[in-house]
Amino acid sequence: MNGDIVLQLDHVAKVYGEDPPVHALRDVSFSVRRGELAAIVGPSGSGKSTLLHIIGTLDRPTSGVVRIRGVDAAGLSDAELSHLRAGQIGFVFQQFFLAEHATVHENVADGLLYAGVGAAERNRLAHEALDRVGLTDRASFRPSKLSGGQRQRVAIARALVGDPAIVLADEPTGNLDSTTGASIMELIHELNAGGATILMITHDADLAAQLPRQIRVLDGQVVSDVTRAAAS
Amino acid sequence: MSPSSGVRLHWRDGLRIASVGLRARPMRAALSALGIAIGTAAIVGVLGLSASSQAGLLAQIDRLGTNLLTVEGGTRITGGDAHLPREAAARIEHLEQVAQVAHTALLRRDRVYRSRLTPVTNTGGLQVRAASANLLTVLGTGLARGAWLNDGTARVPVAVLGATAARRLGMDRIHAEQRIWVGGRWFHVAGILRPSPLAPDTDVSALVGYPAAREYLGYVDVRDAQLGGAPGSIYVRTERGHEAAVQSLLARTANPRSPSEVAVSQPSDVLTARAAAAGAFDSLFLGLGIVALIVGAVGVANIMIISVLERRSEIGLRRALGAMQRQIRTQFLAESILLAVIGGVVGVLFGILATALYATSKGWAVVIPVEAWLGGIASAILIGAVAGLVPAIRASRLPPTEALRTV
Ligand SMILES: Nc1ncnc2c1ncn2[C@@H]1O[C@H](COP(=O)(O)OP(=O)(O)OP(=O)(O)O)[C@@H](O)[C@H]1O
Ligand SMILES: [Mg+2]
C-alpha cells in the first residue's frame, strides 16, 4: 500500500490583503504519498511557510482544495480541523516551541493531549517516541537543560508521538549549527525509513538535495517537482 | 469520539493546563491574586467578627442570666434624686419568687487613691461602695485575683477592687503590701474582680464590707440621711420565668409610700441590645473589602491580558497540536478563575485566622458564618470568570498562523 495519498493540493492559491494583494501562493498542485520524504525548497519569501500552514490546516487557502487523507479541509469546522490536526498532522518548528516548565517527557506526551488519548497511553507512547529520537535518558529533564539539537529531537518526538499521517517540519535545522543540523537530518531519514511521511521546508538547496523528493517554489508557484529514483 | 463535538480533556489535564501560567510565574500570580485575597479576608473577617462578638455577647447573657433586676432610687416628684428606704432590701427578700437579694451602697464622701500623696482631685472616677456578702453570687461576677470579702475581712479595712478600678490603679496582682488610701486610712486589697456586665457600677468601685464601712467610713449617720444608711442599688435574682411578676412588685415593695420614686431595671436588656448591634457588621470595612475585590479583579484581568500577549507561541503550538478554539478559551478562563480562587481561599483563611485570634482573645466562640466563606469563594470564582472572559476570548480568536509567527 505504498501508493496511499495522504496529502493532495489542487490549484491552491493564497492572497494576503487587498491593497495591494500579495499573492503568496498561486495555483499550487501536488500530492504526497504515504512514506514519502519530501522537501519544499525555495528562497525567502517564496511562500514556503504559507504553504506549510495551509497544508497543516492552520490557515485556509483563498481558493483551491487541500485534502488530508482524502478529506477536504475546506468543509470542516474549527473543531473538526482541530481534531484532524490532533490525530493526523505533526508539526516541527524552527523555534522548537517546547514548554519550559514541563519535562521532556511531558512535552512529548502533550503531543497527544488534544487527541483524546488517555494519560497512561500518552505516557507509553511518549516513552516510545523518546526512544525513537534517542532521548530516553533525558525524559525527566527540563528543555532548558538540553542542547539545541536535543530540543529539536524532543519537538520531533512530540510531532511523531501520535503516529500522524504526515509530519510537517518548517526549517527544522534553521536554528542549529551544521553538525547538529546534520544529525537532525539523519534522524529525519531514519524516521522516514521507519515509515513516517515527512514534508520538510527549507531554503537550503543542499539540504533539500539530500531528500528523495524536492518541490521547488518561487514567488508562490511550484517551479519543479523532482523525485529521485529510489536507490533501493 | 465524534470530531465535530471535539475531544474533551480529562479534568486533571484541564487543571494542569489551567495552572501552566501560574506555575511559570508564581510571583506574578501571587501578586495579582493579592487584591482578591485582601478583599476576601476583609469581608470574611468583618462578617466573622460581628458574628463572633454577637455569639460572645449571647453566651455572656446566657451565663449571666436575664433574671436579674436592679432596684435603685429614682427621681423625686419634686425633683432631685430619691433614695431607697433602709428596709427596702429586707422587704424585697420576703417577696415570693425572689431567689436572692444583694445590695451595695455608695459612700459619697470617700474616694479611692493609690497612695496618701495622691492629690485629692485625682479620683480616677473611682468610687467606694459597701457591698453585701453575697454580691458576687447574685451578680454572677467572677474573681480575677485574690479573695472576696468574708465575715472577717468585711469588718476590717480591706477592699476588693472592681475590674476597671484595679486597672486604673495599676494593680493587676494581689500581695500583702497591696493597699489603697480610702477615707484617710489604708485599706488592704484582698481581691480583684472580673468585669461585671450586669452591674457596671461595681467595675469602678472599691468594695468594702458594711461593717467596715460603718466602722471606718462613717456609713451610718443618723443626723444626715444623705450620707447613707440605705442601700444605693439592690440586685434581685428572681426565679427563672418570674422576672415580669417580680418586676411589677418591686417598686411598691421597696418604697410602699412612694413607689414612683423607685427605678427598676433589667440590666441584661442592655446586653441584649448590644448583641443585636454587634450582629450588624461594620459596613465601612465591608465596603473596603469590596473595593479591594474590585481592584483585585482589575489586577487579574490585567495579568490575563498580558499573559495572552506573552504566550502567543504557546497558543499557536496548542492549536497546532489540535486544541480547538473552545479549549484555548477554556484554558485561559480556567487560569483566571484558578488565580482568583487561590486569592479567595487565601483570603478566607486569613479572614478566619483573624477572626479566630480576635475572638479567642476576647473569649468569644469563633463563629464564621457559612455565607461569609462560601460567599468569599463564590465571589472569587465570579471575579475570575469576569476578569478572564475578554482575555480568554482574545486568546481563542488569535489565528494560529499569527500566534506562531516569531518576529
Ligand atoms: N499574514 C501575512 N500578511 C501579508 N502577507 C504575508 C503574510 N504572511 C506572509 N506574507 C507574504 O507572503 C509571502 C510568502 O511568505 P512566507 O512566509 O510564506 O515565505 P517563506 O518562503 O516562508 O519565507 P522565509 O524563508 O523567509 O520563511 C511573503 O511575500 C510575505 O510577505
Ligand atoms: Mg518561512
Side-chain angles (χ1 to χ4, degrees), chain B residues 66-385:
Chain B
T66 52
N67 60 338
L68 186 85
L69 301 171
T70 305
V71 182
E72 284 171 325
T75 318
R76 283 186 203 188
I77 307 166
T78 55
D81 292 343
H83 295 275
L84 293 174
R86 272 193 199 198
E87 7 19 271
R91 276 202 295 259
I92 290 169
E93 262 172 36
H94 286 112
L95 280 177
E96 273 185 58
Q97 291 151 351
V98 164
Q100 283 172 303
V101 177
H103 46 89
T104 61
L106 175 65
L107 305 174
R108 286 163 204 274
R109 268 198 328 213
D110 297 304
R111 298 294 182 186
V112 184
Y113 303 99
R114 200 185 154 88
S115 87
R116 62 190 307 175
L117 299 177
T118 310
V120 281
T121 50
N122 283 11
T123 63
L126 303 183
Q127 302 173 324
V128 187
R129 279 187 163 76
S132 62
N134 61 351
L135 183 71
L136 296 197
T137 327
V138 173
L139 292 181
T141 303
L143 257 174
R145 293 271 186 277
W148 177 237
L149 303 167
N150 57 31
D151 281 352
T153 52
R155 297 176 184 286
V156 290
V158 164
V160 170
L161 297 177
T164 312
R167 187 152 33 80
R168 291 204 188 141
L169 291 167
M171 295 179 181
D172 54 359
R173 248 168 304 178
I174 294 301
H175 52 81
E177 302 301 309
Q178 192 82 282
R179 42 187 202 168
I180 51 178
W181 184 255
V182 178
R185 65 162 53 241
W186 288 111
F187 275 64
H188 276 282
V189 176
I192 296 173
L193 300 184
R194 290 190 190 286
S196 181
L198 292 182
D201 282 350
T202 55
D203 288 342
V204 292
S205 299
L207 301 165
V208 300
Y210 275 99
R214 273 184 224 112
E215 180 76 25
Y216 304 105
L217 301 173
Y219 169 56
V220 178
D221 190 334
V222 285
R223 288 156 301 173
D224 187 356
Q226 293 282 331
L227 289 180
S233 308
I234 303 176
Y235 302 105
V236 182
R237 216 28 116 161
T238 74
E239 279 163 21
R240 288 212 185 244
H242 298 286
E243 295 89 343
V246 173
Q247 186 164 14
S248 66
L249 296 173
L250 278 177
R252 252 179 295 158
T253 313
N255 193 348
R257 245 176 290 166
S258 32
S260 63
E261 293 183 357
V262 177
V264 178
S265 62
Q266 191 169 6
S268 60
D269 284 353
V270 180
L271 295 180
T272 312
R274 225 191 292 160
F281 36 76
D282 190 330
S283 49
L284 175 68
F285 265 95
L286 206 60
L288 286 178
I290 289 168
V291 169
L293 276 188
I294 293 169
V295 172
V298 172
V300 169
N302 183 32
I303 286 301
M304 289 311 297
I305 287 173
I306 292 173
S307 178
V308 169
L309 292 177
E310 280 179 351
R311 288 158 67 186
R312 273 180 34 210
S313 61
E314 179 197 327
I315 295 168
L317 173 72
R318 290 190 187 278
R319 298 284 277 138
L321 292 179
M324 293 177 277
Q325 283 194 318
R326 177 149 57 80
Q327 288 171 320
I328 298 293
R329 197 174 58 222
T330 309
Q331 173 184 342
F332 282 92
L333 198 58
E335 178 166 319
S336 174
I337 292 175
L338 187 64
L339 196 59
V341 166
I342 290 173
V345 168
V346 169
V348 166
L349 291 179
F350 266 93
I352 291 175
L353 187 71
T355 306
L357 287 180
Y358 192 75
T360 312
S361 79
K362 290 272 181 184
W364 301 333
V366 180
V367 181
I368 310 289
V370 181
E371 314 90 70
W373 63 264
L374 216 57
I377 290 174
S379 52
I381 292 174
L382 191 71
I383 285 169

Side-chain angles (χ1 to χ4, degrees), chain A residues 166-187:
Chain A
I166 190 165
V167 173
L168 304 175
D170 193 351
E171 304 270 11
T173 61
N175 272 4
L176 304 174
D177 62 59
S178 56
T179 328
T180 319
S183 82
I184 292 292
M185 287 311 295
E186 213 171 287
L187 174 65

